[in-house]
Amino acid sequence: MSDGSITGGTGRLGDVQARRPRMLSPLREHLRDTMWFAPTAGLVGAMLLWWAAAELDMEIVASLRDGGDYDAIKELMGIADDAKAVISTIGSAMMTFIGVVFSISLVAVQMASGQFSPRVVRLYVRSRITKITLTGFLATFLFSLLTLTSFDSERDPRLLTSVPLVESVLAMMMVLLSLLLFVAYVNGTVRMMRIGFVIDRIARESFRVAVKQPTELSVDTKRLGPETARVTHHGRAGVLRDVNIARAVRAARRQGVVLRLIPRIGDFVVPGTPVFTVHGGAAPSRRALAYTVSVGVERTFHQDLGFGLRQLSDIALRALSPAVNDPTTAVQALDRIVQFLASIAPHPLGALGHRDRRGALRLVQSVPDWTALVDLGFAEIRGHAVGNPQVTRRMLAGLDDLLLLVPEERRAPLLRHRELLAQAVERSVPEAADRVFALRPDRQGIG
């Protein structure tokens, strides 16, 4: 994760209503794209749990010693001796389990990258069950090692300060939890190796982005007034992953200006590229806009409306390649493309506005318009669908469904793709009966 620094600014539009962003949403999404945060938190939690359990064990022994119940202490010492062998076994076994988890993960990632698309690898990185399992194993391993350090070699119950009874019980409970997590992890990994589940995960991530879009009118950028300044990117080159909307809105409010984001989320930016235009005054200071934009090596779902369609299209294109020749997978991808376009059809697109607490427009964010999303979903697949009647039939059925669902002003790109597909089939399929068959809409392709 990399946050590019930017340097460089009052507008009120009553017809724009925007969803107010949550302050920590970019940070939360960036942490989900890492594999270190959850295991590190688990290790810290294991240390704190061990410290609390060790203190409790010391209190138990001190209470028994103060009461003169040395026989009970001896019994605890005998139990602890038996538990020590178990804890030692746990410590060595957990490293083997951790190795198995990594091996399964690497195999699953390699298979997904080769069969589906390299861009779906991030689903495995963001997989909660993978992170929870790895966290549980590492926490159990560390807790077992710390528990072994608590065993006292002193055999005189009058001098003994601690018997790690609570720690041993907790270590065994953590082992049982780790075994349950391992079963869930294997089940989850097997699911993520199935194309239907992968496509469903991509679609659900795309829907989460879609529902965050404002549902009212989009912004007319001509009403922002003249441009008074520009803010340029001074971080490293890379893909614009997301924008900290809350920080940008706050900086614009303090300066009394409106900021317009020039690149779209997912665009590649280089140092010196203009990132914001300022309307209504001077640009906010470099400090006020620090860490407003995040630049990384790859696109993410967080604010990228078209990234899900990009992945679905890539999966369909790979399935239609001569090396794979799997039109059924392409049909599954088209199912989700149609579903996503149907869900986004009522939303405003092109330029969306974000307001401050007082209702004043402070940030205008560019997003793909309807035509761009339709082209992203259908153009490349349509070019490779000819010769696969299962795909052409499903695409025609999807276009017909969308024509019934979308407003009148958004039907033009759908009609264009339908006509281009029909023309391509007419040119490429020599037999009239085959052309009629290929151009017959079917929601299952060939049902």
Side-chain angles (χ1 to χ4, degrees):
M1 179 180 67
S2 171
D3 288 314
S5 60
I6 54 178
T7 59
T10 305
R12 295 175 182 269
L13 296 179
D15 59 348
V16 179
Q17 296 290 333
R19 176 184 180 273
R20 295 206 62 234
R22 287 182 289 184
M23 186 65 180
L24 295 179
S25 58
L27 176 61
R28 184 180 64 252
E29 290 297 321
H30 294 175
L31 291 177
R32 288 185 64 190
D33 285 331
T34 66
M35 288 294 293
W36 62 266
F37 179 75
T40 301
L43 292 176
V44 173
M47 295 179 65
L48 294 176
L49 180 62
W50 169 80
W51 176 81
E55 289 293 323
L56 182 57
D57 284 327
M58 293 176 65
E59 289 293 332
I60 292 174
V61 172
S63 177
L64 293 174
R65 190 175 58 246
D66 293 342
D69 193 355
Y70 298 112
D71 291 336
I73 296 178
K74 289 182 179 180
E75 292 179 3
L76 292 180
M77 292 172 61
I79 297 174
D81 289 338
D82 296 334
K84 185 176 182 178
V86 177
I87 300 301
S88 300
T89 304
I90 291 173
S92 59
M94 292 314 300
M95 288 305 298
T96 303
F97 265 113
I98 293 172
V100 171
V101 170
F102 270 113
S103 299
I104 295 176
S105 297
L106 291 176
V107 171
V109 167
Q110 185 178 12
M111 292 184 61
S113 178
Q115 293 183 0
F116 309 143
S117 168
R119 275 152 293 282
V120 305
V121 172
R122 66 185 309 277
L123 294 179
Y124 295 85
V125 176
R126 291 169 66 92
S127 171
R128 292 179 179 175
I129 187 60
T130 300
K131 294 179 181 179
I132 293 174
T133 303
L134 182 59
T135 299
F137 285 2
L138 290 174
T140 303
F141 176 70
L142 178 60
F143 191 89
S144 300
L145 294 182
L146 294 174
T147 300
L148 288 176
T149 65
S150 299
F151 286 94
D152 198 336
S153 59
E154 179 62 53
R155 308 308 299 175
D156 188 349
R158 294 179 176 81
L159 302 177
L160 191 67
T161 58
S162 176
V163 177
L165 181 63
V166 176
E167 299 168 65
S168 300
V169 172
L170 287 176
M172 295 177 187
M173 293 177 62
M174 292 178 69
V175 170
L176 293 177
L177 177 62
S178 297
L179 293 175
L180 294 176
L181 287 175
F182 181 72
V183 174
Y185 167 76
V186 172
N187 178 69
T189 302
V190 171
R191 291 179 64 195
M192 285 191 292
M193 295 172 66
R194 291 165 21 204
I195 183 60
F197 180 80
V198 171
I199 290 177
D200 179 68
R201 282 286 301 273
I202 294 173
R204 284 191 283 120
E205 291 277 3
S206 301
F207 296 148
R208 291 192 184 100
V209 180
V211 298
K212 295 178 183 178
Q213 302 300 311
T215 57
E216 289 80 12
L217 297 177
S218 58
V219 177
D220 183 1
T221 56
K222 296 180 180 179
R223 298 180 59 187
L224 296 178
E227 177 184 323
T228 56
R230 285 198 169 193
V231 179
T232 57
H233 173 62
H234 285 265
R236 67 172 182 172
V239 175
L240 181 60
R241 301 177 61 185
D242 53 39
V243 177
N244 191 322
I245 297 173
R247 183 184 291 271
V249 168
R250 185 170 61 250
R253 176 180 57 82
R254 291 176 178 174
Q255 194 69 16
V257 297
V258 178
L259 298 175
R260 181 175 69 86
L261 182 66
I262 299 176
R264 291 196 317 219
I265 304 299
D267 287 355
F268 192 88
V269 296
V270 298
T273 301
V275 179
F276 293 106
T277 61
V278 185
H279 302 265
S285 66
R286 178 174 181 177
R287 180 177 181 181
L289 289 175
Y291 304 105
T292 302
V293 298
S294 174
V295 173
V297 297
E298 63 179 356
R299 297 168 67 175
T300 67
F301 272 110
H302 181 212
Q303 297 175 2
D304 196 337
L305 191 60
F307 189 44
L309 287 178
R310 176 70 276 161
Q311 293 186 74
L312 292 172
S313 179
D314 287 347
I315 291 174
L317 291 175
R318 179 162 297 197
L320 292 174
S321 66
V324 178
N325 195 24
D326 182 12
T328 302
T329 294
V331 168
Q332 288 180 280
L334 280 171
D335 292 340
R336 298 301 184 171
I337 290 173
V338 172
Q339 182 185 9
F340 176 78
L341 291 174
S343 68
I344 202 67
H347 291 262
L349 300 168
L352 304 179
H354 300 277
R355 293 176 171 234
D356 60 17
R357 295 178 180 177
R358 297 182 179 179
L361 181 69
R362 295 302 180 188
L363 175 65
V364 177
Q365 179 183 5
S366 298
V367 298
D369 60 20
W370 172 252
T371 300
L373 291 176
V374 172
D375 290 341
L376 179 58
F378 291 118
E380 294 175 305
I381 301 177
R382 174 176 52 77
H384 293 78
V386 178
N388 291 281
Q390 183 179 1
V391 182
T392 59
R393 289 159 63 98
R394 177 63 187 100
M395 183 175 290
L396 288 171
L399 289 170
D400 290 346
D401 289 340
L402 290 172
L403 286 170
L404 296 175
L405 296 173
V406 303
E408 181 68 27
E409 63 273 13
R410 291 188 170 178
R411 299 184 65 186
L414 300 172
L415 292 172
R416 173 169 54 86
H417 281 286
R418 200 185 195 290
E419 180 62 25
L420 289 174
L421 179 60
Q423 292 176 4
V425 172
E426 291 288 343
R427 290 193 305 267
S428 303
V429 180
E431 298 295 333
D434 289 339
R435 290 196 297 268
V436 172
F437 181 79
L439 293 177
R440 183 178 303 154
D442 186 341
R443 290 189 178 91
Q444 294 187 24
I446 300 178

